[in-house]
């Protein structure tokens, strides 16, 4: 009889711990990145991609949406830090953006297994190149 009560107490405590843990996990929200963190990536970047002879423009919007030559790249942001963004496209490949300075960004393309060096584009540079 004492073993049965002991088992009931253990089961009760386990259930309580599970409910409490799930409550805290549910209420724990992922912190939105601060504007200063996001602003480091926001803007237009240019570089040569996949053996192209012409420069390609990559744009990162304030909502951290990605556009390649004005065409959206479908996918979602996996991870973000002050110097890195990890984006997964709809095929499951990752694009890893690493800030190397305020004006340079390395892009690792998981699909091509290549790193591309990108330069920040100032607004009037885009207008002049169009």
């Amino acid at each position: 009889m004492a073993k049965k009560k002991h088992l009931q107490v253990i089961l009760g405590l386990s259930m309580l711990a599970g409910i409490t843990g799930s409550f805290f996990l549910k209420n724990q929200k992922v912190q939105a990145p601060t504007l200063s963190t996001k602003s480091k990536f926001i803007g237009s970047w240019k570089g040569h991609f996949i053996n192209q002879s012409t420069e390609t423009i990559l744009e990162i919007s304030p909502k951290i949406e990605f556009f390649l030559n004005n065409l959206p790249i479908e996918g979602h942001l996996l991870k973000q830090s002050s110097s890195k963004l990890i984006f997964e496209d709809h095929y499951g490949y990752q694009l890893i953006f690493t800030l190397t300075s305020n004006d340079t960004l390395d892009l690792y393309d998981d699909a091509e297994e290549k790193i591309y060096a990108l330069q920040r584009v100032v607004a009037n540079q885009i207008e002049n190149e169009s």
Side-chain angles (χ1 to χ4, degrees):
M1 186 82 151
K3 286 185 180 184
K4 192 173 184 179
K5 280 192 175 195
H6 184 64
L7 182 61
Q8 288 176 342
V9 169
I10 290 174
L11 287 175
L13 289 174
S14 294
M15 287 179 57
L16 181 61
I19 292 169
T20 305
S22 65
F23 174 76
F24 284 115
L25 286 175
K26 188 182 283 186
N27 288 331
Q28 186 179 27
K29 295 182 180 178
V30 175
Q31 282 188 338
T34 64
L35 183 58
S36 62
T37 300
K38 290 191 324 186
S39 67
K40 294 177 183 179
F41 294 96
I42 294 170
S44 297
W45 303 85
K46 66 180 179 178
H48 293 279
F49 293 95
I50 314 170
N51 301 325
Q52 293 180 344
S53 59
T54 59
E55 283 187 327
T56 301
I57 301 292
L58 170 77
E59 184 180 344
I60 303 174
S61 76
K63 293 182 178 180
I64 309 297
E65 297 169 319
F66 297 85
F67 299 88
L68 196 58
N69 291 334
N70 295 322
L71 297 174
I73 303 173
E74 301 297 326
H76 62 279
L77 189 64
L78 289 178
K79 194 173 185 179
Q80 178 174 332
S81 73
S82 62
S83 64
K84 190 175 283 192
L85 292 177
I86 301 176
F87 179 84
E88 185 175 76
D89 69 14
H90 65 286
Y91 295 112
Y93 290 106
Q94 291 184 1
L95 299 173
I96 302 172
F97 302 90
T98 305
L99 282 171
T100 54
S101 76
N102 286 337
D103 296 326
T104 59
L105 179 73
D106 281 348
L107 165 60
Y108 173 74
D109 183 349
D110 187 31
E112 299 292 325
E113 296 182 343
K114 290 186 179 180
I115 296 174
Y116 302 99
L118 307 177
Q119 296 292 316
R120 185 179 296 276
V121 178
V122 180
N124 63 358
Q125 283 181 323
I126 295 174
E127 293 169 7
N128 292 338
E129 292 176 2
S130 298

